[in-house]
């Protein structure tokens, strides 16, 4: 049975990049952890945040253990399109423009500033929440730590 977070997200996800998994559910089954990255059209923050994830996903060991879902929280379609175009090199799933799931997630997890990264295990348990400054310092050690938390809880 899918966890609640997946049920809320999977309605109309857009897949971007060379993603071998056809659905989010299938993707999560093959990875212990995933993140939901909330972004808005503030270009400098987006460019830095996207570059951080591009760098991380170029590391083979991360690309095989951690998947990313991007939630673009812009009210204007043109802002959404601008952010979407910057994601061309990043393999991820994207919640579509003006999806009902965006507001539900923002309210459920009390998102107050962007960018924000929520980390979940494959069972839908929230492991962590990172704000903009923490995302800037994100590295392989964070992802290995989240994998360790998942493994300890599930063994």
């Amino acid at each position: 049975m899918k966890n609640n977070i997946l049920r809320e997200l999977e309605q109309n996800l857009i897949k971007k990049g060379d993603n071998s998994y056809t659905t989010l559910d299938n993707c999560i089954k093959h990875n212990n952890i995933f993140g939901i990255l909330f972004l808005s059209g503030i270009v400098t923050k987006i460019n830095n945040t996207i570059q951080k994830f591009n760098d991380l996903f170029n590391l083979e060991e991360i690309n095989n253990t951690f998947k990313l879902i991007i939630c673009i929280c812009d009210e204007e379609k043109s802002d959404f399109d601008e952010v979407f175009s910057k994601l061309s090199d990043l393999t991820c799933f994207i919640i579509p423009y003006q999806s009902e799931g965006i507001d539900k997630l923002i309210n459920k997890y009390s998102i107050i500033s962007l960018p924000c990264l929520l980390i979940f295990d494959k069972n839908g348990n929230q492991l962590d929440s990172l704000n903009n400054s923490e995302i800037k310092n994100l590295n392989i050690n964070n992802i290995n730590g989240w994998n360790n938390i998942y493994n300890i809880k599930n063994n």
Side-chain angles (χ1 to χ4, degrees):
M1 182 170 115
K2 291 183 192 178
N3 61 55
N4 289 338
I5 192 78
L6 287 179
R7 258 186 254 121
E8 290 177 28
L9 291 175
E10 194 158 32
Q11 308 154 9
N12 299 308
L13 284 171
I14 301 167
K15 185 174 65 166
K16 219 161 153 64
D18 182 24
N19 195 326
S20 58
Y21 304 109
T22 56
T23 67
L24 176 62
D25 190 38
N26 192 25
C27 174
I28 299 302
K29 285 179 188 173
H30 292 88
N31 296 277
N32 290 341
I33 57 174
F34 66 99
I36 302 175
L37 177 63
F38 294 83
L39 292 173
S40 72
I42 303 167
V43 176
T44 54
K45 281 187 180 180
I46 287 175
N47 288 339
N48 293 336
T49 303
I50 291 170
Q51 186 58 52
K52 168 60 76 175
F53 283 98
N54 279 332
D55 293 345
L56 278 173
F57 281 103
N58 282 331
L59 301 171
E60 188 64 29
E61 64 187 289
I62 287 180
N63 208 7
N64 290 329
T65 61
F66 177 75
K67 293 300 175 200
L68 189 63
I69 300 161
I70 297 183
C71 182
I72 303 170
C73 304
D74 286 308
E75 293 186 20
E76 298 296 325
K77 177 81 164 97
S78 59
D79 293 335
F80 175 93
D81 292 341
E82 181 179 353
V83 176
F84 190 85
S85 70
K86 295 180 183 305
L87 301 172
S88 60
D89 295 332
L90 196 58
T91 298
C92 59
F93 288 92
I94 300 173
I95 299 174
Y97 177 67
Q98 292 190 332
S99 170
E100 291 177 14
I102 294 173
D103 287 337
K104 287 181 186 176
L105 290 170
I106 287 172
N107 291 329
K108 182 175 183 173
Y109 295 103
S110 302
I111 307 298
I112 55 173
S113 67
L114 301 174
C116 177
L117 176 66
L118 302 179
I119 305 298
F120 297 89
D121 68 20
K122 69 187 327 176
N123 300 316
N125 302 309
Q126 187 175 352
L127 302 177
D128 209 346
S129 175
L130 284 74
N131 62 30
N132 186 40
S133 60
E134 293 167 323
I135 291 170
K136 287 179 187 173
N137 297 316
L138 185 66
N139 61 47
I140 192 165
N141 294 329
N142 298 102
I143 293 172
N144 288 338
W146 295 320
N147 268 315
N148 288 339
I149 292 169
Y150 171 79
N151 290 329
I152 289 168
K153 286 183 174 181
N154 291 282
N155 287 328

